[in-house]
Structures are given as C-alpha cells and as structure tokens.
C-alpha cells in the first residue's frame, strides 16, 4: 500500500515536470524567451497554450534562473585564474534547457570562452532517460553536450538495463568522451 502511494506521488511530481516543459515551450513559441532547444526536447500539441499570467510567471522564473547562472559562470571564470570553474546542480529539471542555452551562449561569445562549468541534472530515472533520448535524437543537442551519435541498437538496449539517478554535462573540457559517458549513464536508466 505504501509503495503504491509513493509511486503515485512520484508520477504526480513527474507530471508537474511535463506541465512545466509545455509551459516553457509556449514561452519560446510566443517569443518571451529565445530558447531554440526547448522545441527539440519537448513535443507537444502545436496549439498548446498557457494563460498570459502563467506565461509571465514562467518567464520571470526562466529569466531569473538564466541570469543567475550566467553571473555565476562569469564570476567563477573571473575568480579561477584559468583553473577550476564552477558546477551548477539542477534537481528535478525535467526537460529544462539551461545547460544547452549556456553552452550555446559560450560558443556565441556571450560567456567567457575560458569559463569552465559543469552542469549536473538529477531527476527521476524515467525523466532522465526521456531527456537522454531527446538529446540523442537531436544532432544540435548532442553537439553541445559533446556526445557522439549512438549506434542504432544502443538506445533501446541500454535504457532498460541499469539504475543511475544523476548525470552531467560539462563545457570547456579537453576530455570529449565525458559527453559520451553522460549519454551512456542516461540511457542506462531503468524505465
């Protein structure tokens, strides 16, 4: 009985993530935010809409989080003297695209090129697996995460084998295999 209640609670929490993802998709479609990555991860009905009040609330949150992350990455780069960097941990981010937006901004010169940062996402295994599959599906996301295209059968096989509850992506890293390790960990999540 208690296990069933926990599973129901977990599903309810995960459903809020789906709702948030559609809200962020609506923000991007309406031009509230410049987020070309959300449309790559979130598949929703083309007519999905949110009320203006919900849009403004999500815009405030997304803009504030992005600004704080940018300032944190810049401050860490300024303080690091070419060593170290920073780490950002996102708990329950679902289909959030903050890592991809920061990585693209760094490529575009909007963040210091020498700003090393690691972005760690921790979520329910099915949510992390869904996101990993979305990243693997999209070449642009794979490129930013430093991940190679998967072999044809590796996605479905790995997604049912093991349990991990966190993974990370990093930028400005000489070890390009770290993105591949990330994807392997994400794909090994038990559905």
């Amino acid at each position: 009985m208690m296990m069933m209640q926990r599973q129901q609670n977990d599903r309810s929490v995960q459903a809020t993530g789906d709702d948030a993802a559609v809200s962020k998709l609506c923000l991007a479609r309406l031009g509230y935010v410049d987020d070309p990555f959300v449309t790559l991860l979130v598949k929703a009905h083309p007519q999905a809409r949110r009320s203006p009040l919900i849009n403004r609330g999500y815009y405030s949150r997304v803009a504030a989080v992005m600004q704080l992350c940018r300032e944190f990455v810049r401050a860490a780069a300024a303080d690091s003297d070419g060593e170290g960097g920073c780490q950002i941990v996102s708990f329950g981010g679902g289909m959030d695209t903050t890592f991809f937006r920061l990585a693209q901004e760094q490529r575009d010169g909007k963040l210091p090129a020498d700003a090393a940062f690691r972005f760690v996402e921790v979520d329910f295994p099915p949510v992390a697996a869904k996101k990993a599959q979305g990243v693997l599906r999209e070449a642009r996301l794979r490129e930013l995460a430093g991940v190679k295209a998967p072999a044809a059968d590796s996605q479905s096989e790995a997604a049912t084998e093991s349990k991990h509850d966190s993974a990370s992506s990093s930028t400005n890293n000489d070890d390009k295999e770290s993105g591949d390790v990330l994807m392997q960990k994400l794909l090994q999540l038990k559905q």
Side-chain angles (χ1 to χ4, degrees):
M1 181 74 153
M2 192 166 177
M3 179 61 107
M4 288 177 48
Q5 181 64 38
R6 180 172 180 219
Q7 289 173 339
Q8 180 59 37
N9 289 344
D10 288 354
R11 283 192 294 274
S12 296
V13 170
Q14 291 173 51
T16 65
D18 293 339
D19 186 62
V22 172
S23 294
K24 291 175 186 176
L25 178 64
C26 291
L27 285 183
R29 285 180 179 165
L30 292 171
Y32 280 84
V33 295
D34 180 23
D35 186 349
F37 307 108
V38 70
T39 59
L40 301 176
L41 282 176
V42 180
K43 306 300 179 199
H45 188 277
Q47 300 302 316
R49 299 191 67 115
R50 296 291 188 251
S51 73
L53 183 60
I54 297 295
N55 287 332
R56 287 190 293 268
Y58 268 94
Y59 167 77
S60 297
R61 180 199 167 279
V62 168
V65 167
M66 280 301 298
Q67 185 60 34
L68 287 171
C69 288
R70 285 183 195 110
E71 289 177 16
F72 184 60
V73 169
R74 285 186 185 113
D79 291 344
S80 72
D81 296 328
E83 298 176 14
C86 66
Q87 179 167 287
I88 300 168
V89 180
S90 173
F91 291 96
M95 298 296 120
D96 186 72
T97 60
T98 302
F99 165 76
F100 299 104
R101 292 176 68 197
L102 290 171
Q104 186 64 55
E105 287 181 11
Q106 189 174 42
R107 284 189 176 186
D108 294 344
K110 296 176 184 175
L111 287 174
D114 63 344
F117 66 91
R118 177 173 290 267
F119 199 94
V120 180
E121 297 184 31
V122 180
D123 214 319
F124 288 100
V127 175
K130 180 179 175 184
K131 186 169 188 176
Q133 289 168 348
V135 171
L136 286 173
R137 184 179 58 241
E138 299 293 339
R140 189 168 179 196
L141 299 177
R142 286 194 316 265
E143 178 188 351
L144 287 169
V147 176
K148 297 176 194 160
D153 293 336
S154 68
Q155 284 185 11
S156 59
E157 289 175 14
T160 60
E161 290 178 0
S162 150
K163 298 179 200 173
H164 296 293
D165 63 359
S166 67
S168 66
S169 297
S170 61
T171 65
N172 204 18
N173 185 340
D174 291 334
D175 180 12
K176 290 298 180 186
E177 291 184 19
S178 65
D180 294 323
V181 171
L182 156 72
M183 281 300 125
Q184 287 304 322
K185 286 182 179 180
L186 287 172
L187 288 172
Q188 291 171 357
L189 296 172
K190 192 168 189 174
Q191 297 268 7

